[in-house]
């Protein structure tokens, strides 16, 4: 979406305003509604009347008033609050100023931790994060995930209800819980990114915005936690992956595998930034999966072409990644890297070992990888059949068209030029 | 009132779309892109007029699973559809002023290049009470 300066400003202020309100009044669910209404009022009024001198203060005041209105409707709650107030010593009646600047950063982070609460489903975590921290409206979140607005409204209110029921305080998690919750936050941001990136055809504009939003949020987390190496790794991974986006599809939305992409169209500034970030992260000690994936992406991005890629280094990185988790897709990518560094036969042998893995039974990536390797070995019949099988397993039209085109090419008599390319 | 517009296709239509030649030539990348463009603009217009509720395409029939229950146990078989049979390929749900307006919208989803092509439009019931009459 083309962003105006006002939209930009509102989205960066949204989590700060919500954080301030929740810290001061509690009631995450009601506060969230109140902030959305204040944002809508600002989006409507500011472009016409000008931005107020203290935009954050303005939003906090308007949202606080709205929140008070919403809370007052509940007379029983008012009575309870009066009772509690009578028990509170007078010096504690005054809450700290809601727009006290030094805590803005912490507020945003606590908000992120709250939205990525483990009691929520990933779908709810994503929806709440995009709305509360990203400042997107329910309609925008709904459009991005291609669900009706009513469905998204239900998903968001269920999420807020659950946060309320969990009785979670608005405070940063501590100790071991903090690490778990940060992992959940990073996972949610990664899911938002892949949701945007996995789309290769069709009405794709809204999805491309999701990758941009995921990168913006990852930058935010990085600013709040500059010393965490996995945060660095995730931001680097997103930048290095997204850098290839302009070359991933052809003029008609068709898929272009990494080996055949026009690398001059990759975004050089994003690659430079991602490489710098991952270079900064790796020497810090504990190496996690996001840093490893970012390091692999960096090796790809720095190679002038597919053949000149440092496949030995990629193989080694995949081996470390394999040691961290039993993941069949990582094993598959590792096999492809082995094929590229030591020969197709070694890769095919590793792929044969994955054939019985039930988790890959319906996955087109396994036959597609075998097809590419058989093709580079010159076994045109086996390659063609494997391409057809991969196309039949895929439910993505762009991917099907790519795989069918590869199969069709092998149906012709003269041996086609082989390059062992893997879909990027 | 909501109306559901039902679009049909056979496995062969999907194959043609996926770049696989059959008795008909496979669609080119340009043709597929043009079709996407048409669907995108069409639904964008409906979204702007506030009449779009939901629109989805369904995956091809070979990916269908038929689920039955025999002696209390679920029995799952692969898609039961012969290649030539037309099955539901996608749907568009609109909420608009009248059945006639829904019919007008539906006409925009009929492929003008295919003789005999059709879609169906059916009113959507809002709840179980609608069934009571």
């Amino acid at each position: 979406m083309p962003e105006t300066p006002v939209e930009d400003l509102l989205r960066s202020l949204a989590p700060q305003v919500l954080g301030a309100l929740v810290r001061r009044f509690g009631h995450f669910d009601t506060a969230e509604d109140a902030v959305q209404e204040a944002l809508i009022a600002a989006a409507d009024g500011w472009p016409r009347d000008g931005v107020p001198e203290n935009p954050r203060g303005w939003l906090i005041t308007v949202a606080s008033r709205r929140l008070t209105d919403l809370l007052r409707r509940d007379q029983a709650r008012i009575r309870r609050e009066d009772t509690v107030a009578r028990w509170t010593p007078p010096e504690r009646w005054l809450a700290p100023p809601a727009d006290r600047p030094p805590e803005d950063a912490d507020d945003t982070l606590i908000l992120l931790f709250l939205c990525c609460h483990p009691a929520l489903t990933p779908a709810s975590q994503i929806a709440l994060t995009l709305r509360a921290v990203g400042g997107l409206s329910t309609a925008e979140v709904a459009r991005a995930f291609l669900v009706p607005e009513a469905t998204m409204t239900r998903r968001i209110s269920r999420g807020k209800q659950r946060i309320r029921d969990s009785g979670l305080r608005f405070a940063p998690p501590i100790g071991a819980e903090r690490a778990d919750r940060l992992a959940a936050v990073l996972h949610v941001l990664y899911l938002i990114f892949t949701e945007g990136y996995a789309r290769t055809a069709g009405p794709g504009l809204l999805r491309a915005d999701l990758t941009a939003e995921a990168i913006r949020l990852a930058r935010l987390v990085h600013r709040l936690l500059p010393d965490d190496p996995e945060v660095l790794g995730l931001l680097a991974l997103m930048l290095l992956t997204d850098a290839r986006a302009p070359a991933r599809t052809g003029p008609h939305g068709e898929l272009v595998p990494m080996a055949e992409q026009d690398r001059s169209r990759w975004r050089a500034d994003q690659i430079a930034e991602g490489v710098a970030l991952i270079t900064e992260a790796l020497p810090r000690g504990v190496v996690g999966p996001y840093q490893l994936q970012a390091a692999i992406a960096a090796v790809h991005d720095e190679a002038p072409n597919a053949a000149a890629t440092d496949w030995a280094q990629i193989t080694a990185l995949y081996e470390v990644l394999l040691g961290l988790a039993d993941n069949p897709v990582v094993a598959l990518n590792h096999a492809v890297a082995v094929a590229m560094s030591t020969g197709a036969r070694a890769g095919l042998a590793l792929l044969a070992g994955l054939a019985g893995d039930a988790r890959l039974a319906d996955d087109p990536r396994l036959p597609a990888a075998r097809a590419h390797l058989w093709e580079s070995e010159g076994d045109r019949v086996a390659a063609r059949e494997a391409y057809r099988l991969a196309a039949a397993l895929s439910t993505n039209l762009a991917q099907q068209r790519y795989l069918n085109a590869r199969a069709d090419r092998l149906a012709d008599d003269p041996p086609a030029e082989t390059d062992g390319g893997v879909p990027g | 009132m909501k109306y559901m517009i039902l679009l049909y296709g056979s496995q062969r239509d999907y194959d043609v779309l996926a770049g696989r030649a059959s008795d008909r030539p496979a669609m080119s990348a340009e043709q597929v892109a043009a079709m996407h463009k048409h669907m995108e603009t069409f639904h964008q217009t409906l979204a702007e007029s506030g009449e779009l509720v939901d629109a989805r395409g369904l995956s091809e029939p070979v990916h269908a699973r038929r689920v039955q229950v025999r002696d209390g146990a679920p029995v799952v078989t692969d898609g039961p559809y012969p290649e030539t049979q037309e099955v539901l390929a996608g749907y568009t749900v609109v909420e608009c002023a009248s059945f006639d307006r829904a019919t007008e919208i539906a006409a925009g989803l009929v492929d003008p290049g295919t003789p005999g092509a059709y879609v169906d439009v059916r009113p959507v019931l809002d709840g179980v009470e609608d069934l009571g009459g």
Side-chain angles (χ1 to χ4, degrees):
Chain A
M1 64 200 93
E3 295 228 334
T4 66
V6 167
E7 274 171 60
D8 240 8
L9 177 66
L10 285 177
R11 293 182 66 198
S12 68
L13 289 176
Q16 297 177 24
V17 173
L18 179 55
L21 244 70
V22 177
R23 179 157 48 80
R24 187 171 181 182
F25 300 102
H27 304 292
F28 174 78
D29 51 344
T30 320
E32 217 268 327
D33 288 335
V35 172
Q36 286 287 331
E37 289 185 30
L39 289 173
I40 290 168
D44 188 43
W46 293 2
R48 190 182 58 229
D49 309 328
V51 177
E53 203 168 309
N54 175 0
R56 192 180 61 218
W58 188 96
L59 285 169
I60 291 175
T61 308
V62 172
S64 300
R65 265 190 224 132
R66 185 65 195 136
L67 177 64
T68 319
D69 285 350
L70 291 169
L71 291 179
R72 277 208 185 113
R73 282 189 194 158
D74 190 346
Q75 289 301 318
R77 183 183 288 143
I78 286 280
R79 278 198 297 278
R80 275 202 307 279
E81 283 170 349
D82 283 349
T83 311
V84 172
R86 279 199 293 277
W87 287 93
T88 309
E91 67 270 19
R92 292 189 50 200
W93 284 352
L94 290 173
D99 54 349
R100 183 171 55 193
E103 294 192 11
D104 289 343
D106 293 344
D107 280 349
T108 304
L109 194 60
I110 299 170
L111 206 57
L112 253 174
F113 280 131
L114 203 61
C115 294
C116 301
H117 190 270
L120 305 177
T121 62
S124 291
Q125 290 176 337
I126 290 172
L128 267 184
T129 302
L130 284 175
R131 210 175 101 128
V133 189
L136 265 63
S137 71
T138 307
E140 285 173 314
V141 180
R143 265 193 321 180
F145 287 92
L146 302 177
V147 299
E149 195 175 338
T151 307
M152 194 47 82
T153 306
R154 273 198 303 278
R155 199 176 281 172
I156 287 173
S157 10
R158 264 204 310 270
K160 289 197 284 185
Q161 179 81 31
R162 283 205 145 177
I163 286 183
R164 200 174 67 193
D165 294 349
S166 73
L168 209 71
R169 288 184 317 117
F170 188 74
I174 44 168
E177 204 201 334
R178 188 176 185 284
D180 284 353
R181 296 275 288 284
L182 179 60
V185 168
L186 297 185
H187 185 59
V188 164
L189 297 186
Y190 184 65
L191 288 178
I192 294 172
F193 180 82
T194 47
E195 191 71 37
Y197 198 72
R199 182 139 186 127
T200 53
L205 294 171
L206 291 165
R207 296 293 178 102
D209 282 353
L210 276 184
T211 56
E213 181 61 16
I215 290 173
R216 196 181 75 86
L217 292 176
R219 278 190 198 283
L220 182 70
V221 178
H222 171 49
R223 208 161 56 232
L224 301 176
L225 299 171
D227 297 323
D228 189 285
E230 273 295 81
V231 176
L232 275 170
L234 178 61
L235 177 56
L237 173 61
M238 288 181 182
L239 289 167
L240 291 164
T241 309
D242 187 58
R244 296 180 213 132
R248 282 180 81 228
T249 47
H252 305 291
E254 68 271 26
L255 205 68
V256 182
M258 207 203 294
E260 292 165 22
Q261 286 173 16
D262 174 2
R263 290 175 187 228
S264 67
R265 296 178 63 201
W266 289 0
R267 298 185 186 117
D269 53 337
Q270 266 183 231
I271 294 175
E273 190 188 352
V275 169
L277 286 172
I278 190 61
T279 313
E280 184 190 338
L282 283 175
R284 294 201 180 184
V286 189
V287 175
Y290 293 121
Q291 292 167 75
L292 287 166
Q293 290 178 75
I296 292 167
V299 177
H300 278 302
D301 286 7
E302 290 186 308
N305 55 59
T309 306
D310 187 349
W311 289 104
Q313 198 187 342
I314 290 181
T315 307
L317 287 165
Y318 271 124
E319 265 153 28
V320 184
L321 201 52
L322 269 177
L324 291 183
D326 171 33
N327 181 333
V329 177
V330 174
L332 198 153
N333 289 333
H334 170 248
V336 173
V338 167
M340 296 303 286
S341 56
T342 62
R345 277 176 197 286
L348 281 165
L350 284 171
L351 288 178
L354 286 171
D357 195 317
R359 290 169 296 179
L360 287 178
D362 296 325
D363 199 316
R365 281 174 288 194
L366 181 57
R370 301 178 95 160
H372 278 105
L373 296 184
W374 271 320
E375 186 179 349
S376 71
E377 279 289 280
D379 190 341
R380 298 163 59 84
V381 177
R384 199 172 61 225
E385 290 314 302
Y387 279 128
R388 292 274 187 232
L389 174 62
L393 286 174
S394 171
T395 51
N396 175 305
L397 188 68
Q399 202 177 30
Q400 286 180 23
R401 293 187 61 83
Y402 166 78
L403 293 162
N404 277 324
R406 295 296 287 215
D408 289 346
R409 214 162 81 173
L410 293 173
D412 304 332
D413 250 350
E417 198 186 324
T418 58
D419 54 24
V422 270
Chain B
M1 188 94 192
K2 291 193 180 80
Y3 300 87
M4 183 182 250
I5 304 166
L6 302 96
L7 293 73
Y8 301 95
S10 67
Q11 180 60 42
R12 244 186 299 179
D13 296 324
Y14 278 95
D15 285 345
V16 165
L17 204 58
R20 214 182 153 176
S22 51
D23 52 346
R24 278 186 281 149
M27 276 170 82
S28 70
E30 288 89 336
Q31 288 169 311
V32 173
M35 193 197 79
H36 278 155
K37 186 85 198 125
H38 170 73
M39 295 300 265
E40 197 181 340
T41 331
F42 187 84
H43 286 106
Q44 192 62 44
T45 311
L46 282 180
E48 276 158 18
S49 71
E51 292 171 313
L52 180 69
V53 177
D54 193 15
R56 294 284 179 147
L58 300 182
S59 173
E60 65 216 276
V62 291
H63 290 302
R65 287 181 183 172
R66 173 159 286 180
V67 184
Q68 293 163 289
V69 176
R70 287 197 198 121
D71 302 327
V75 176
V76 180
T77 46
D78 286 341
Y81 315 113
E83 284 206 349
T84 51
Q85 189 170 325
E86 299 259 311
V87 297
L88 190 66
Y91 63 84
T92 296
V93 179
V94 293
E95 183 159 23
C96 57
S98 64
F99 208 153
D100 286 344
R101 170 62 187 145
T103 309
E104 189 186 5
I105 294 171
L109 286 168
V110 181
D111 180 4
T114 309
Y118 60 90
V119 301
D120 289 340
V121 197
R122 297 172 64 181
V124 176
L125 304 180
D126 268 331
V128 73
E129 58 276 7
D130 286 358
L131 283 169

